[in-house]
Amino acid sequence: MPGRRLTRRGFLRTSGMATAALVGSSIVEIPTLLASPPPYQRKDVGGLAASDPILTGYAKAIRAMRALAVDDPLSWAYQAAIHGTTLSCSYTSWNTCEHGTYFFLSWHRMYLWYFERIIRKMAGDPNWTLPFWNWESTSERTLPAPFRTPADPSNDLFASNRGFGWNDGTSSLASSTVDTSAAMPETLFTNFSSSLEGTPHGAVHVSIGGWMGSVPTAAQDPIFWLHHCNIDRLWNAWLAQGGGRVDPLGDATWKNTKFTFFDENGTQVQLTGCDILRAQDQLGYNYEGEPAQVNFYCSKIVKPPIWILKEILKLPPPPDPGPGPDPTPWEINVGEVREQLAKLARTKGTDLRLELSEVVADKQPTAYLEVYIGLPKSAAPEPKSPHYVGNIALFGHGIREEKPHGKFHPASFSFPITRALEATFQRDPRARTLSALFVPRGPLREGKPAPTPLGARLHIGAASLSLREHRTE
């Protein structure tokens, strides 16, 4: 790796020092020893040949980890079970993934970092780094070829348990699956994290299906780690936009809660939010092609923007979508607030929202729902339409049959609908009814949309139309 040349002995000595610094850490800043010599760089898998040491090293490490006993913290089974497992036995840190909470990004960053260190050791390559799957690029919407070719057990990056068409290259991610246009404009961390967790994170999981399509099995697929690397990269990219974007440094629980993992020596270790704020400075890595990382410190609290949500109209819950492939229509009567909505939709900078809460599925859906507001009945649902407002993508929370932590969290979604309402009232200024549509969506088949059943019964318990405003103090 350019700029970083370590001997294996030097790598193990440095990583051992890092582990000693991290064990039992709380809000004390980690020494910057991991950032010198220059940081590791995580590469875009789309630019790697199958023979690249990053991919061959990954395969070598997976093979070695699969040969270890399930109770060995360095084994493939143990590391996957930290995220979730269907195994009846239980060991330290199993089933501890964070979904549906504001720990989603920080927990997964910790998880990836220790996993990367384990792979580095098992591959015998002190320069090894996790690559990321940049599915935002239109050239990377199919599963990376080294993960599906050859499609047999000789390929340690291959997993037979994936959805239809993924391993032969005929399935690909739809544009709405990887859409970050709702998440990235958010300026409040919790809003950004929640939006990103749904789409693209959850939408990619359910689109690939198989092991990836369910929390208890997802981390068994080698592509899981590349998917989450890209999510971690987007956290950095979000902060780099500025505009008041900060991590929740005023929240003691987010900063100080300890999570338990295992390092490359099998030693139990703990990290907190304060330990992983600065990926390059504290953890020693950056991403290929990313802007300069933003450095926040727990000792320096930056106030985030304050948003208030004003309910305009409480709505009756929509009809239950699913489980079939047909779109579910929902007629919303807005007669009593039509003039107010029409005026707000024309006002520059207005943030009108459709709020859906108490969202519950009886089991893990096999598709996500594209949501359209005001789409003309003669128009085909298309994410490029101004009437497309986002997705309902459930993965890890809101699913009754999956309670890996012994608790259940209904999901909630907030959709920006100003543009959709503006287009609706331009077409029909006297409209008193908004037509909403929930469209099940899965992977593209040979580049084209295909009928996709939701695969679960979904219930939305509460809905409202609201106005979100920035409050200045």
Side-chain angles (χ1 to χ4, degrees), residues 61-62 64-80 82 114-115 117-119 121-122 262-267:
I62 291 173
M65 293 170 71
R66 284 174 173 161
L68 299 177
V70 69
D71 61 350
D72 188 329
L74 303 187
S75 73
W76 185 259
Y78 199 111
Q79 284 296 304
I82 290 175
Y114 279 119
F115 177 80
R117 289 170 56 175
I118 291 169
I119 295 291
K121 178 177 182 178
M122 301 300 285
F262 292 86
D263 69 10
E264 66 276 12
N265 299 312
T267 302

PDB file of all heavy atoms in Angstrom, residues 61-62 64-80 82 114-115 117-119 121-122 262-267:
ATOM      1  N   ALA A  61      -7.882 -15.374   4.400  1.00  0.00           N
ATOM      2  CA  ALA A  61      -8.266 -15.204   5.797  1.00  0.00           C
ATOM      3  C   ALA A  61      -9.602 -15.890   6.090  1.00  0.00           C
ATOM      4  O   ALA A  61      -9.764 -16.530   7.137  1.00  0.00           O
ATOM      5  CB  ALA A  61      -8.345 -13.724   6.138  1.00  0.00           C
ATOM      6  N   ILE A  62     -10.563 -15.744   5.185  1.00  0.00           N
ATOM      7  CA  ILE A  62     -11.866 -16.391   5.378  1.00  0.00           C
ATOM      8  C   ILE A  62     -11.690 -17.897   5.511  1.00  0.00           C
ATOM      9  O   ILE A  62     -12.291 -18.548   6.382  1.00  0.00           O
ATOM     10  CB  ILE A  62     -12.811 -16.040   4.222  1.00  0.00           C
ATOM     11  CG1 ILE A  62     -13.207 -14.559   4.281  1.00  0.00           C
ATOM     12  CG2 ILE A  62     -14.072 -16.923   4.266  1.00  0.00           C
ATOM     13  CD1 ILE A  62     -13.995 -14.091   3.078  1.00  0.00           C
ATOM     14  N   ALA A  64      -9.088 -19.554   6.521  1.00  0.00           N
ATOM     15  CA  ALA A  64      -8.475 -19.873   7.809  1.00  0.00           C
ATOM     16  C   ALA A  64      -9.464 -19.703   8.959  1.00  0.00           C
ATOM     17  O   ALA A  64      -9.491 -20.510   9.899  1.00  0.00           O
ATOM     18  CB  ALA A  64      -7.258 -18.978   8.029  1.00  0.00           C
ATOM     19  N   MET A  65     -10.297 -18.679   8.894  1.00  0.00           N
ATOM     20  CA  MET A  65     -11.262 -18.431   9.962  1.00  0.00           C
ATOM     21  C   MET A  65     -12.346 -19.489   9.994  1.00  0.00           C
ATOM     22  O   MET A  65     -12.831 -19.874  11.060  1.00  0.00           O
ATOM     23  CB  MET A  65     -11.875 -17.036   9.780  1.00  0.00           C
ATOM     24  CG  MET A  65     -10.874 -15.901   9.992  1.00  0.00           C
ATOM     25  SD  MET A  65     -11.516 -14.281   9.488  1.00  0.00           S
ATOM     26  CE  MET A  65     -12.735 -13.975  10.773  1.00  0.00           C
ATOM     27  N   ARG A  66     -12.742 -19.979   8.823  1.00  0.00           N
ATOM     28  CA  ARG A  66     -13.768 -21.026   8.765  1.00  0.00           C
ATOM     29  C   ARG A  66     -13.274 -22.343   9.326  1.00  0.00           C
ATOM     30  O   ARG A  66     -14.079 -23.208   9.698  1.00  0.00           O
ATOM     31  CB  ARG A  66     -14.248 -21.196   7.323  1.00  0.00           C
ATOM     32  CG  ARG A  66     -15.181 -20.084   6.854  1.00  0.00           C
ATOM     33  CD  ARG A  66     -15.529 -20.200   5.393  1.00  0.00           C
ATOM     34  NE  ARG A  66     -16.550 -19.217   5.006  1.00  0.00           N
ATOM     35  CZ  ARG A  66     -16.794 -18.843   3.761  1.00  0.00           C
ATOM     36  NH1 ARG A  66     -16.079 -19.353   2.753  1.00  0.00           N
ATOM     37  NH2 ARG A  66     -17.731 -17.946   3.496  1.00  0.00           N
ATOM     38  N   ALA A  67     -11.970 -22.513   9.393  1.00  0.00           N
ATOM     39  CA  ALA A  67     -11.401 -23.754   9.929  1.00  0.00           C
ATOM     40  C   ALA A  67     -11.343 -23.748  11.456  1.00  0.00           C
ATOM     41  O   ALA A  67     -11.075 -24.784  12.070  1.00  0.00           O
ATOM     42  CB  ALA A  67      -9.990 -23.962   9.359  1.00  0.00           C
ATOM     43  N   LEU A  68     -11.597 -22.600  12.082  1.00  0.00           N
ATOM     44  CA  LEU A  68     -11.538 -22.493  13.536  1.00  0.00           C
ATOM     45  C   LEU A  68     -12.862 -22.910  14.168  1.00  0.00           C
ATOM     46  O   LEU A  68     -13.922 -22.845  13.541  1.00  0.00           O
ATOM     47  CB  LEU A  68     -11.208 -21.055  13.936  1.00  0.00           C
ATOM     48  CG  LEU A  68      -9.866 -20.497  13.450  1.00  0.00           C
ATOM     49  CD1 LEU A  68      -9.723 -19.037  13.872  1.00  0.00           C
ATOM     50  CD2 LEU A  68      -8.705 -21.325  13.981  1.00  0.00           C
ATOM     51  N   ALA A  69     -12.797 -23.309  15.427  1.00  0.00           N
ATOM     52  CA  ALA A  69     -13.992 -23.720  16.166  1.00  0.00           C
ATOM     53  C   ALA A  69     -14.921 -22.537  16.367  1.00  0.00           C
ATOM     54  O   ALA A  69     -14.480 -21.379  16.448  1.00  0.00           O
ATOM     55  CB  ALA A  69     -13.596 -24.313  17.511  1.00  0.00           C
ATOM     56  N   VAL A  70     -16.206 -22.814  16.457  1.00  0.00           N
ATOM     57  CA  VAL A  70     -17.209 -21.762  16.554  1.00  0.00           C
ATOM     58  C   VAL A  70     -17.031 -20.911  17.801  1.00  0.00           C
ATOM     59  O   VAL A  70     -17.408 -19.727  17.814  1.00  0.00           O
ATOM     60  CB  VAL A  70     -18.632 -22.367  16.516  1.00  0.00           C
ATOM     61  CG1 VAL A  70     -18.934 -23.155  17.785  1.00  0.00           C
ATOM     62  CG2 VAL A  70     -19.684 -21.292  16.296  1.00  0.00           C
ATOM     63  N   ASP A  71     -16.416 -21.466  18.868  1.00  0.00           N
ATOM     64  CA  ASP A  71     -16.249 -20.700  20.100  1.00  0.00           C
ATOM     65  C   ASP A  71     -14.952 -19.900  20.120  1.00  0.00           C
ATOM     66  O   ASP A  71     -14.637 -19.249  21.127  1.00  0.00           O
ATOM     67  CB  ASP A  71     -16.329 -21.612  21.324  1.00  0.00           C
ATOM     68  CG  ASP A  71     -15.248 -22.680  21.344  1.00  0.00           C
ATOM     69  OD1 ASP A  71     -14.544 -22.848  20.322  1.00  0.00           O
ATOM     70  OD2 ASP A  71     -15.101 -23.357  22.387  1.00  0.00           O
ATOM     71  N   ASP A  72     -14.206 -19.910  19.028  1.00  0.00           N
ATOM     72  CA  ASP A  72     -12.993 -19.116  18.908  1.00  0.00           C
ATOM     73  C   ASP A  72     -13.375 -17.730  18.406  1.00  0.00           C
ATOM     74  O   ASP A  72     -13.945 -17.600  17.319  1.00  0.00           O
ATOM     75  CB  ASP A  72     -12.020 -19.781  17.930  1.00  0.00           C
ATOM     76  CG  ASP A  72     -10.660 -19.111  17.887  1.00  0.00           C
ATOM     77  OD1 ASP A  72     -10.587 -17.885  18.090  1.00  0.00           O
ATOM     78  OD2 ASP A  72      -9.664 -19.812  17.635  1.00  0.00           O
ATOM     79  N   PRO A  73     -13.071 -16.664  19.151  1.00  0.00           N
ATOM     80  CA  PRO A  73     -13.464 -15.310  18.713  1.00  0.00           C
ATOM     81  C   PRO A  73     -12.922 -14.903  17.351  1.00  0.00           C
ATOM     82  O   PRO A  73     -13.445 -13.968  16.745  1.00  0.00           O
ATOM     83  CB  PRO A  73     -12.911 -14.409  19.816  1.00  0.00           C
ATOM     84  CG  PRO A  73     -12.817 -15.283  21.018  1.00  0.00           C
ATOM     85  CD  PRO A  73     -12.453 -16.640  20.485  1.00  0.00           C
ATOM     86  N   LEU A  74     -11.872 -15.586  16.868  1.00  0.00           N
ATOM     87  CA  LEU A  74     -11.308 -15.267  15.558  1.00  0.00           C
ATOM     88  C   LEU A  74     -11.962 -16.060  14.431  1.00  0.00           C
ATOM     89  O   LEU A  74     -11.634 -15.841  13.261  1.00  0.00           O
ATOM     90  CB  LEU A  74      -9.795 -15.527  15.538  1.00  0.00           C
ATOM     91  CG  LEU A  74      -8.957 -14.779  16.575  1.00  0.00           C
ATOM     92  CD1 LEU A  74      -7.473 -15.017  16.313  1.00  0.00           C
ATOM     93  CD2 LEU A  74      -9.259 -13.281  16.565  1.00  0.00           C
ATOM     94  N   SER A  75     -12.874 -16.948  14.762  1.00  0.00           N
ATOM     95  CA  SER A  75     -13.503 -17.767  13.724  1.00  0.00           C
ATOM     96  C   SER A  75     -14.521 -16.959  12.928  1.00  0.00           C
ATOM     97  O   SER A  75     -15.069 -15.961  13.413  1.00  0.00           O
ATOM     98  CB  SER A  75     -14.186 -18.988  14.344  1.00  0.00           C
ATOM     99  OG  SER A  75     -15.365 -18.619  15.038  1.00  0.00           O
ATOM    100  N   TRP A  76     -14.765 -17.399  11.695  1.00  0.00           N
ATOM    101  CA  TRP A  76     -15.755 -16.741  10.834  1.00  0.00           C
ATOM    102  C   TRP A  76     -17.133 -16.800  11.478  1.00  0.00           C
ATOM    103  O   TRP A  76     -17.875 -15.808  11.478  1.00  0.00           O
ATOM    104  CB  TRP A  76     -15.758 -17.412   9.463  1.00  0.00           C
ATOM    105  CG  TRP A  76     -16.647 -16.736   8.464  1.00  0.00           C
ATOM    106  CD1 TRP A  76     -17.900 -17.123   8.076  1.00  0.00           C
ATOM    107  CD2 TRP A  76     -16.355 -15.539   7.737  1.00  0.00           C
ATOM    108  NE1 TRP A  76     -18.408 -16.248   7.155  1.00  0.00           N
ATOM    109  CE2 TRP A  76     -17.481 -15.256   6.920  1.00  0.00           C
ATOM    110  CE3 TRP A  76     -15.264 -14.679   7.690  1.00  0.00           C
ATOM    111  CZ2 TRP A  76     -17.531 -14.162   6.073  1.00  0.00           C
ATOM    112  CZ3 TRP A  76     -15.315 -13.575   6.849  1.00  0.00           C
ATOM    113  CH2 TRP A  76     -16.437 -13.326   6.049  1.00  0.00           C
ATOM    114  N   ALA A  77     -17.482 -17.953  12.048  1.00  0.00           N
ATOM    115  CA  ALA A  77     -18.800 -18.105  12.668  1.00  0.00           C
ATOM    116  C   ALA A  77     -18.969 -17.152  13.851  1.00  0.00           C
ATOM    117  O   ALA A  77     -20.033 -16.545  14.029  1.00  0.00           O
ATOM    118  CB  ALA A  77     -19.002 -19.552  13.126  1.00  0.00           C
ATOM    119  N   TYR A  78     -17.924 -17.026  14.665  1.00  0.00           N
ATOM    120  CA  TYR A  78     -18.023 -16.162  15.853  1.00  0.00           C
ATOM    121  C   TYR A  78     -18.170 -14.698  15.439  1.00  0.00           C
ATOM    122  O   TYR A  78     -19.023 -13.974  15.968  1.00  0.00           O
ATOM    123  CB  TYR A  78     -16.772 -16.331  16.713  1.00  0.00           C
ATOM    124  CG  TYR A  78     -16.941 -15.871  18.154  1.00  0.00           C
ATOM    125  CD1 TYR A  78     -16.955 -16.799  19.193  1.00  0.00           C
ATOM    126  CD2 TYR A  78     -17.082 -14.520  18.489  1.00  0.00           C
ATOM    127  CE1 TYR A  78     -17.099 -16.399  20.525  1.00  0.00           C
ATOM    128  CE2 TYR A  78     -17.239 -14.111  19.798  1.00  0.00           C
ATOM    129  CZ  TYR A  78     -17.244 -15.048  20.811  1.00  0.00           C
ATOM    130  OH  TYR A  78     -17.404 -14.653  22.124  1.00  0.00           O
ATOM    131  N   GLN A  79     -17.335 -14.263  14.490  1.00  0.00           N
ATOM    132  CA  GLN A  79     -17.409 -12.870  14.061  1.00  0.00           C
ATOM    133  C   GLN A  79     -18.766 -12.542  13.444  1.00  0.00           C
ATOM    134  O   GLN A  79     -19.330 -11.476  13.696  1.00  0.00           O
ATOM    135  CB  GLN A  79     -16.276 -12.569  13.081  1.00  0.00           C
ATOM    136  CG  GLN A  79     -14.921 -12.413  13.740  1.00  0.00           C
ATOM    137  CD  GLN A  79     -14.873 -11.224  14.682  1.00  0.00           C
ATOM    138  OE1 GLN A  79     -15.150 -10.093  14.293  1.00  0.00           O
ATOM    139  NE2 GLN A  79     -14.532 -11.478  15.944  1.00  0.00           N
ATOM    140  N   ALA A  80     -19.301 -13.452  12.640  1.00  0.00           N
ATOM    141  CA  ALA A  80     -20.626 -13.222  12.055  1.00  0.00           C
ATOM    142  C   ALA A  80     -21.696 -13.179  13.125  1.00  0.00           C
ATOM    143  O   ALA A  80     -22.640 -12.381  13.054  1.00  0.00           O
ATOM    144  CB  ALA A  80     -20.938 -14.316  11.036  1.00  0.00           C
ATOM    145  N   ILE A  82     -21.511 -12.080  16.100  1.00  0.00           N
ATOM    146  CA  ILE A  82     -21.548 -10.812  16.836  1.00  0.00           C
ATOM    147  C   ILE A  82     -22.648  -9.932  16.266  1.00  0.00           C
ATOM    148  O   ILE A  82     -23.377  -9.262  17.000  1.00  0.00           O
ATOM    149  CB  ILE A  82     -20.174 -10.116  16.775  1.00  0.00           C
ATOM    150  CG1 ILE A  82     -19.144 -10.897  17.605  1.00  0.00           C
ATOM    151  CG2 ILE A  82     -20.276  -8.676  17.285  1.00  0.00           C
ATOM    152  CD1 ILE A  82     -17.728 -10.349  17.499  1.00  0.00           C
ATOM    153  N   TYR A 114     -12.355  -3.897  14.110  1.00  0.00           N
ATOM    154  CA  TYR A 114     -11.747  -5.095  14.696  1.00  0.00           C
ATOM    155  C   TYR A 114     -11.749  -6.259  13.713  1.00  0.00           C
ATOM    156  O   TYR A 114     -10.794  -7.042  13.655  1.00  0.00           O
ATOM    157  CB  TYR A 114     -12.437  -5.473  16.008  1.00  0.00           C
ATOM    158  CG  TYR A 114     -11.938  -4.660  17.175  1.00  0.00           C
ATOM    159  CD1 TYR A 114     -12.784  -3.840  17.894  1.00  0.00           C
ATOM    160  CD2 TYR A 114     -10.588  -4.696  17.530  1.00  0.00           C
ATOM    161  CE1 TYR A 114     -12.309  -3.077  18.963  1.00  0.00           C
ATOM    162  CE2 TYR A 114     -10.104  -3.949  18.581  1.00  0.00           C
ATOM    163  CZ  TYR A 114     -10.969  -3.137  19.292  1.00  0.00           C
ATOM    164  OH  TYR A 114     -10.488  -2.379  20.335  1.00  0.00           O
ATOM    165  N   PHE A 115     -12.798  -6.377  12.927  1.00  0.00           N
ATOM    166  CA  PHE A 115     -12.826  -7.425  11.900  1.00  0.00           C
ATOM    167  C   PHE A 115     -11.677  -7.226  10.911  1.00  0.00           C
ATOM    168  O   PHE A 115     -10.997  -8.190  10.529  1.00  0.00           O
ATOM    169  CB  PHE A 115     -14.172  -7.393  11.165  1.00  0.00           C
ATOM    170  CG  PHE A 115     -14.277  -8.383  10.042  1.00  0.00           C
ATOM    171  CD1 PHE A 115     -14.559  -9.716  10.282  1.00  0.00           C
ATOM    172  CD2 PHE A 115     -14.094  -7.975   8.718  1.00  0.00           C
ATOM    173  CE1 PHE A 115     -14.657 -10.634   9.247  1.00  0.00           C
ATOM    174  CE2 PHE A 115     -14.193  -8.874   7.681  1.00  0.00           C
ATOM    175  CZ  PHE A 115     -14.471 -10.209   7.944  1.00  0.00           C
ATOM    176  N   ARG A 117      -8.798  -5.888  11.421  1.00  0.00           N
ATOM    177  CA  ARG A 117      -7.555  -6.275  12.084  1.00  0.00           C
ATOM    178  C   ARG A 117      -7.412  -7.786  12.149  1.00  0.00           C
ATOM    179  O   ARG A 117      -6.304  -8.330  11.990  1.00  0.00           O
ATOM    180  CB  ARG A 117      -7.505  -5.653  13.479  1.00  0.00           C
ATOM    181  CG  ARG A 117      -7.299  -4.153  13.457  1.00  0.00           C
ATOM    182  CD  ARG A 117      -7.495  -3.503  14.800  1.00  0.00           C
ATOM    183  NE  ARG A 117      -6.653  -4.074  15.835  1.00  0.00           N
ATOM    184  CZ  ARG A 117      -6.581  -3.581  17.088  1.00  0.00           C
ATOM    185  NH1 ARG A 117      -7.305  -2.513  17.405  1.00  0.00           N
ATOM    186  NH2 ARG A 117      -5.801  -4.136  17.975  1.00  0.00           N
ATOM    187  N   ILE A 118      -8.525  -8.481  12.358  1.00  0.00           N
ATOM    188  CA  ILE A 118      -8.484  -9.948  12.383  1.00  0.00           C
ATOM    189  C   ILE A 118      -8.129 -10.494  11.005  1.00  0.00           C
ATOM    190  O   ILE A 118      -7.288 -11.389  10.869  1.00  0.00           O
ATOM    191  CB  ILE A 118      -9.830 -10.502  12.881  1.00  0.00           C
ATOM    192  CG1 ILE A 118     -10.025 -10.182  14.368  1.00  0.00           C
ATOM    193  CG2 ILE A 118      -9.917 -12.008  12.646  1.00  0.00           C
ATOM    194  CD1 ILE A 118     -11.412 -10.458  14.889  1.00  0.00           C
ATOM    195  N   ILE A 119      -8.764  -9.955   9.967  1.00  0.00           N
ATOM    196  CA  ILE A 119      -8.451 -10.385   8.609  1.00  0.00           C
ATOM    197  C   ILE A 119      -6.982 -10.115   8.289  1.00  0.00           C
ATOM    198  O   ILE A 119      -6.283 -10.951   7.689  1.00  0.00           O
ATOM    199  CB  ILE A 119      -9.356  -9.682   7.579  1.00  0.00           C
ATOM    200  CG1 ILE A 119     -10.812 -10.099   7.768  1.00  0.00           C
ATOM    201  CG2 ILE A 119      -8.888  -9.990   6.152  1.00  0.00           C
ATOM    202  CD1 ILE A 119     -11.116 -11.533   7.410  1.00  0.00           C
ATOM    203  N   LYS A 121      -4.448 -10.121  10.232  1.00  0.00           N
ATOM    204  CA  LYS A 121      -3.614 -11.139  10.866  1.00  0.00           C
ATOM    205  C   LYS A 121      -3.784 -12.490  10.187  1.00  0.00           C
ATOM    206  O   LYS A 121      -2.790 -13.171   9.888  1.00  0.00           O
ATOM    207  CB  LYS A 121      -3.973 -11.251  12.346  1.00  0.00           C
ATOM    208  CG  LYS A 121      -3.179 -12.337  13.067  1.00  0.00           C
ATOM    209  CD  LYS A 121      -3.491 -12.379  14.554  1.00  0.00           C
ATOM    210  CE  LYS A 121      -2.654 -13.447  15.246  1.00  0.00           C
ATOM    211  NZ  LYS A 121      -2.911 -13.477  16.710  1.00  0.00           N
ATOM    212  N   MET A 122      -5.033 -12.890   9.923  1.00  0.00           N
ATOM    213  CA  MET A 122      -5.290 -14.210   9.348  1.00  0.00           C
ATOM    214  C   MET A 122      -4.778 -14.306   7.912  1.00  0.00           C
ATOM    215  O   MET A 122      -4.446 -15.390   7.427  1.00  0.00           O
ATOM    216  CB  MET A 122      -6.782 -14.530   9.406  1.00  0.00           C
ATOM    217  CG  MET A 122      -7.372 -14.515  10.810  1.00  0.00           C
ATOM    218  SD  MET A 122      -6.633 -15.709  11.950  1.00  0.00           S
ATOM    219  CE  MET A 122      -7.369 -17.237  11.369  1.00  0.00           C
ATOM    220  N   PHE A 262     -13.655  -8.297  19.975  1.00  0.00           N
ATOM    221  CA  PHE A 262     -12.413  -9.039  20.161  1.00  0.00           C
ATOM    222  C   PHE A 262     -11.388  -8.560  19.142  1.00  0.00           C
ATOM    223  O   PHE A 262     -11.722  -8.339  17.973  1.00  0.00           O
ATOM    224  CB  PHE A 262     -12.649 -10.540  19.999  1.00  0.00           C
ATOM    225  CG  PHE A 262     -13.479 -11.133  21.105  1.00  0.00           C
ATOM    226  CD1 PHE A 262     -14.860 -11.121  21.037  1.00  0.00           C
ATOM    227  CD2 PHE A 262     -12.873 -11.674  22.225  1.00  0.00           C
ATOM    228  CE1 PHE A 262     -15.637 -11.646  22.062  1.00  0.00           C
ATOM    229  CE2 PHE A 262     -13.631 -12.193  23.268  1.00  0.00           C
ATOM    230  CZ  PHE A 262     -15.018 -12.182  23.176  1.00  0.00           C
ATOM    231  N   ASP A 263     -10.137  -8.394  19.595  1.00  0.00           N
ATOM    232  CA  ASP A 263      -9.102  -7.958  18.677  1.00  0.00           C
ATOM    233  C   ASP A 263      -8.484  -9.157  17.958  1.00  0.00           C
ATOM    234  O   ASP A 263      -8.945 -10.299  18.113  1.00  0.00           O
ATOM    235  CB  ASP A 263      -8.056  -7.107  19.400  1.00  0.00           C
ATOM    236  CG  ASP A 263      -7.195  -7.902  20.385  1.00  0.00           C
ATOM    237  OD1 ASP A 263      -7.257  -9.152  20.399  1.00  0.00           O
ATOM    238  OD2 ASP A 263      -6.452  -7.271  21.155  1.00  0.00           O
ATOM    239  N   GLU A 264      -7.435  -8.908  17.172  1.00  0.00           N
ATOM    240  CA  GLU A 264      -6.829  -9.947  16.348  1.00  0.00           C
ATOM    241  C   GLU A 264      -6.114 -11.022  17.156  1.00  0.00           C
ATOM    242  O   GLU A 264      -5.747 -12.075  16.625  1.00  0.00           O
ATOM    243  CB  GLU A 264      -5.863  -9.318  15.346  1.00  0.00           C
ATOM    244  CG  GLU A 264      -4.642  -8.660  15.957  1.00  0.00           C
ATOM    245  CD  GLU A 264      -4.901  -7.247  16.412  1.00  0.00           C
ATOM    246  OE1 GLU A 264      -6.077  -6.815  16.476  1.00  0.00           O
ATOM    247  OE2 GLU A 264      -3.910  -6.545  16.719  1.00  0.00           O
ATOM    248  N   ASN A 265      -5.927 -10.795  18.467  1.00  0.00           N
ATOM    249  CA  ASN A 265      -5.327 -11.801  19.340  1.00  0.00           C
ATOM    250  C   ASN A 265      -6.383 -12.552  20.137  1.00  0.00           C
ATOM    251  O   ASN A 265      -6.031 -13.375  20.996  1.00  0.00           O
ATOM    252  CB  ASN A 265      -4.332 -11.129  20.287  1.00  0.00           C
ATOM    253  CG  ASN A 265      -3.209 -10.450  19.532  1.00  0.00           C
ATOM    254  OD1 ASN A 265      -2.614 -11.037  18.639  1.00  0.00           O
ATOM    255  ND2 ASN A 265      -2.934  -9.192  19.863  1.00  0.00           N
ATOM    256  N   GLY A 266      -7.651 -12.282  19.858  1.00  0.00           N
ATOM    257  CA  GLY A 266      -8.732 -12.931  20.586  1.00  0.00           C
ATOM    258  C   GLY A 266      -8.985 -12.321  21.948  1.00  0.00           C
ATOM    259  O   GLY A 266      -9.697 -12.903  22.771  1.00  0.00           O
ATOM    260  N   THR A 267      -8.417 -11.145  22.208  1.00  0.00           N
ATOM    261  CA  THR A 267      -8.581 -10.470  23.493  1.00  0.00           C
ATOM    262  C   THR A 267      -9.850  -9.643  23.510  1.00  0.00           C
ATOM    263  O   THR A 267     -10.143  -8.915  22.557  1.00  0.00           O
ATOM    264  CB  THR A 267      -7.380  -9.544  23.768  1.00  0.00           C
ATOM    265  OG1 THR A 267      -6.183 -10.316  23.743  1.00  0.00           O
ATOM    266  CG2 THR A 267      -7.511  -8.862  25.124  1.00  0.00           C
TER     267      THR A 267
END
